[in-house]
Amino acid sequence: MFLSDASWTADFGSHGTALDLTDTAYGVAAKAAPPASTALPASILDTATYEGRLIAAPLWISYQALLYNKDLLEQAGIPFPSSDPTSSITFEELFELAQQAQAAGAKYGLCWDQPDQYYARQPMIESAGGGSGLTGPDYLTPDVTNEGWVKGLTYYQDVFAQGLCPQGVPNGQMDPIWNAGDVAFYIAQAPVQGTVDATDFRYGVAPVPGFADGRPVSPSGSHGIAVNPNSPNTEAAIDFLTFASLTPAGGMAATELINQPVLPAATTARLNANIKADPRLQGLSQIVKYTVDNLSVARPPSPKYNTFELATTKAIMDIRNGADVTATLADLQEDLQQLLSR
Amino acid sequence: MTHTTSHVGHRRWLGHGVRGIRGPSRETRIAWLFLAPALLLLVASRLLPMVLAFIASFTVNQPGGKGTSFGLGNYEFMASYEPFFESLGTTAILVAIAVPLQLGLALVMALVLARPFRGAGLMRTVVILPLVVPAAVAASLWGIMLRPDGPVNGVLSALGLPRQPFLTSPDQALFAIIGIASWAIVGYWMTILIAGLNDIPHEVKEAAAIDGAGRWVQFRRITLPLLRRPINFILVFSTVAAFLTFAPSQILTKGGPAGSTNVVMMEVYSQYYVNYDIGLASAELTLLLVILAGLVALQFRLLGRGD
């Protein structure tokens, strides 16, 4: 068995690297109709499926939520955003509120915990109508210069250009800035992994934002377990997958490592335990459920996803640090055309 | 020298005499035995990967994962793939700046710190200290130091100087990478030069001083020529090290901003380990090896003159 991130689904699926789990005991249980205690949401199974074949047992989920620092918002006279999962704030409103919070003394108005990663920016671009950036039957045709891409990433660049978030801070170094109480609004990936536990200020949770003329969108897909098709012990492997991915006990055990369990029942139990430990996360349970069921988009299921992601992540990094949006995306389009033709 | 005499000479060197048809002498066998572990390691860790990469560079993947074929496809693609040649250009700039910079700094520090004075030992230790910091740790530390909101900019602000974008600017990032790479290695070059300086016999300098040679003349006519060997060593090795710069780019900039730090090793790494395009990565690596071998041979030729 081996861990298979959602970014590898199409690569492993197209190369036969992983056993097809569709018709195994695991696949049947995972795809059972919703009242069944083992049923996984379709949006989660999609992230591990390539051309109709289930190639990994999802273990964890990914999603985004908006955190806000209550002290900084109060200081600026900004009402707290609603925690109703169906009423997301818009990016346009968020920009103005972030400026307002900064004017009232917050060091930074609006930041993201994974500032460069493509898959963490994909939701914003999708919300702007840009699509995933890959089209065509095998998702090997780049489409990163359309209006939605320009709109989404221009907004992103403006946030940094206006000083609402510091430029040049890499992945993994944003959390300490939020934890220090310096950020008014913070869009975070699965924000209950201990990263925010270190804070001692008051904060709240709201659903992920979207553009005014689009819909709010969240990323999805995390690591799962795949099985080596040449393994002599596939039956034992499938028993293990069923335990780890489809039982509350397996789900809870998985969360001792990272993130949120994939099984809704285990997710709810874990979230409730978190919320009990930290009442600031009130409302997160409903937000996660609604986000996973209704707002999540999968990464484009391209066998060349990782090539696409690296090139795109670099372009996002450049744009965040001030490179011209249209020119950078045009270069990216050209590079991708060449790389994906291989 | 004919082939035959060279062969005999070789035998004589290894075995102290030609034993004719009775096979290699005991000494020869012992010599090979002692050499074997090093030779095996050299073959397994250096030559074999090179040969494998060379073979892989002719292996072309067929569309849709339908097996592979043998041919020049990877080289043809490489010839039209601009980012690769841009990465070679970036690397050339890095080498052209880093090598003289590191040698110059190491020489100045060696000349200062080779003299006995109070605290010289401590100073040398401080200069050599970066050597024991792993490249990845050093890169991460400098990444935080040079952040737009980091300590270096804090100091600049406090001094009333403008804040600098460093790693986030396409105009500054490569220089920052050169600085970080040089910070790590310059102490090592300095140590080698100090050893070289200590090897220069005192009598030579004394004789020159008696003959009326000033400090500058002594440096030009005695110190520099007698440091020729360690300087040659540093030139060759710093060129290779600069050519193969990887960790700071990979950890700090991923080759950006705007490809400004996409050195050739970053490019090869991305093709191999991210895109899994082993054929293209191997073709790039083969060309890189040819360039490096040519460059080192040229350096040896130029520097070997008059030795």
Side-chain angles (χ1 to χ4, degrees):
Chain A
M1 289 178 285
F2 52 97
L3 277 181
S4 166
D5 188 54
S7 58
W8 288 102
T9 301
D11 193 315
F12 291 158
S14 66
H15 287 99
T17 317
L19 185 75
D20 179 4
L21 300 170
T22 318
D23 299 322
T24 63
Y26 171 80
V28 172
K31 288 186 169 190
S37 63
T38 56
L40 294 186
S43 65
I44 291 174
L45 284 171
D46 280 352
T47 66
T49 303
Y50 180 70
E51 292 186 342
R53 285 174 286 131
L54 186 63
I55 69 111
L59 206 53
W60 297 293
I61 53 172
S62 185
Y63 62 90
Q64 277 178 354
L66 174 68
L67 302 178
Y68 53 91
N69 182 318
K70 289 186 173 175
D71 297 337
L72 295 178
L73 263 55
E74 271 175 2
Q75 188 181 306
I78 299 170
F80 300 150
S82 166
S83 65
D84 175 358
T86 60
S87 60
S88 289
I89 191 170
T90 66
F91 276 121
E92 289 86 345
E93 287 171 303
L94 195 55
F95 197 94
E96 279 176 26
L97 294 176
Q99 283 181 314
Q100 202 180 318
Q102 215 164 337
K107 195 168 177 190
Y108 300 114
L110 168 62
C111 288
W112 285 260
D113 67 343
Q114 293 191 7
D116 299 320
Q117 225 62 26
Y118 159 76
Y119 96 105
R121 285 301 71 70
Q122 183 191 355
M124 170 183 252
I125 297 164
E126 298 253 14
S127 177
S132 73
L134 286 175
T135 58
D138 280 327
Y139 292 89
L140 289 170
T141 311
D143 178 20
V144 297
T145 52
N146 64 52
E147 259 176 53
W149 271 73
V150 174
K151 178 182 170 179
L153 291 176
T154 301
Y155 176 92
Y156 193 58
Q157 180 172 60
D158 286 347
V159 169
F160 291 88
Q162 298 285 322
L164 295 175
C165 193
Q167 290 180 329
V169 179
N171 283 344
Q173 289 180 21
M174 278 294 188
D175 279 343
I177 300 178
W178 157 260
N179 288 343
D182 289 340
V183 187
F185 293 99
Y186 194 56
I187 298 176
Q189 217 72 9
V192 277
Q193 304 172 29
T195 48
V196 294
D197 297 351
T199 58
D200 57 3
F201 53 85
R202 297 182 306 135
Y203 66 83
V205 193
V208 67
F211 282 103
D213 55 1
R215 68 181 186 96
V217 178
S218 164
S220 70
S222 182
H223 287 83
I225 310 174
V227 178
N228 182 342
N230 302 313
S231 164
N233 292 316
T234 48
E235 268 180 44
I238 284 162
D239 282 349
F240 178 74
L241 299 191
T242 308
F243 164 75
S245 170
L246 301 182
T247 67
M252 292 302 278
T255 53
E256 296 300 320
L257 300 171
I258 49 165
N259 221 308
Q260 295 302 315
V262 71
L263 193 71
T267 304
T268 309
R270 167 55 66 187
L271 286 170
N272 287 341
N274 273 324
I275 291 163
K276 217 168 165 186
D278 187 349
R280 293 174 295 188
L281 296 168
Q282 208 62 46
L284 186 64
S285 208
Q286 292 83 345
I287 290 172
V288 173
K289 186 171 174 3
Y290 184 81
T291 303
V292 170
D293 288 344
N294 301 287
L295 307 181
S296 60
V297 289
R299 286 164 244 218
S302 168
K304 286 271 183 187
Y305 175 80
N306 289 290
T307 300
F308 167 76
E309 188 185 61
L310 178 73
T312 308
T313 296
K314 285 182 186 175
I316 291 171
M317 213 173 181
D318 288 347
I319 287 170
R320 172 164 80 99
N321 290 330
D324 182 78
V325 177
T326 316
T328 305
L329 291 178
D331 284 348
L332 175 65
Q333 173 84 11
E334 201 181 310
D335 285 352
L336 285 173
Q337 269 163 355
Q338 221 176 352
L339 284 169
L340 299 180
S341 73
R342 293 281 294 165
Chain B
M1 192 184 270
T2 68
H3 176 77
T4 322
T5 50
S6 131
H7 179 69
V8 169
H10 174 69
R11 293 280 294 265
R12 179 164 293 154
W13 174 71
L14 279 171
H16 294 291
V18 184
R19 300 287 171 107
I21 50 165
R22 280 192 294 150
S25 71
R26 191 158 167 270
E27 285 95 337
T28 309
R29 270 180 279 137
I30 288 173
W32 280 114
L33 204 65
F34 275 105
L35 284 171
L39 285 176
L40 272 177
L41 266 178
L42 198 67
V43 170
S45 70
R46 292 277 184 265
L47 287 176
L48 194 66
M50 274 190 223
V51 173
L52 290 178
F54 184 68
I55 295 170
S57 72
F58 296 101
T59 310
V60 187
N61 285 321
Q62 294 306 299
K66 293 182 183 65
T68 53
S69 70
F70 217 65
L72 288 170
N74 294 320
Y75 289 94
E76 278 164 23
F77 182 84
M78 186 173 80
S80 69
Y81 186 53
E82 265 177 49
F84 173 64
F85 291 97
E86 284 165 10
S87 76
L88 275 178
T90 305
T91 310
I93 297 171
L94 185 145
V95 172
I97 297 171
V99 173
L101 176 78
Q102 290 175 9
L103 182 63
L105 279 175
L107 191 59
V108 169
M109 288 195 296
L111 288 169
V112 173
L113 296 178
R115 299 150 181 256
F117 66 91
R118 231 174 140 71
L122 182 74
M123 292 278 283
R124 279 184 227 169
T125 311
V126 169
V127 174
I128 298 166
L129 213 54
L131 266 183
V132 299
V133 182
V137 176
S140 304
L141 284 175
W142 277 107
I144 294 169
M145 298 272 284
L146 296 178
R147 252 164 54 173
D149 64 337
V152 174
N153 268 316
V155 171
L156 288 178
S157 284
L159 295 174
L161 296 167
R163 301 175 85 87
Q164 298 300 319
F166 297 120
L167 294 164
T168 61
S169 152
D171 303 324
Q172 294 187 10
L174 186 63
F175 296 99
I177 298 281
I178 291 172
I180 294 166
S182 301
W183 170 84
I185 197 82
V186 104
Y188 181 51
W189 305 143
M190 179 200 75
T191 315
I192 292 168
L193 288 174
I194 288 179
L197 283 171
N198 291 337
D199 277 349
I200 298 175
H202 257 291
E203 301 79 21
V204 184
K205 283 192 179 174
E206 269 173 21
I210 290 165
D211 288 344
R215 279 193 162 186
W216 174 243
V217 175
Q218 280 187 38
F219 174 73
R220 281 256 315 156
R221 296 289 167 93
I222 298 168
T223 310
L224 217 46
L226 289 175
L227 277 181
R228 193 184 181 92
R229 278 175 177 280
I231 286 176
N232 286 0
F233 172 85
I234 291 168
L235 274 178
V236 171
F237 279 82
S238 64
T239 303
V240 174
F243 234 97
L244 303 182
T245 301
F246 173 67
S249 270
Q250 161 67 4
I251 291 168
L252 295 174
T253 57
K254 300 269 180 275
S260 62
T261 62
N262 195 36
V263 289
V264 72
M265 282 309 286
M266 270 298 293
E267 167 62 25
V268 174
Y269 168 86
S270 306
Q271 295 302 348
Y272 202 110
Y273 290 103
V274 180
N275 302 339
Y276 285 88
D277 199 333
I278 292 162
L280 179 59
S282 302
E284 292 181 347
L285 208 57
T286 303
L287 185 63
L288 178 63
L289 277 174
V290 170
I291 294 172
L292 260 181
L295 207 64
V296 171
L298 187 73
Q299 277 182 331
F300 270 119
R301 229 189 132 87
L302 290 176
L303 298 168
R305 276 187 197 158
D307 217 16

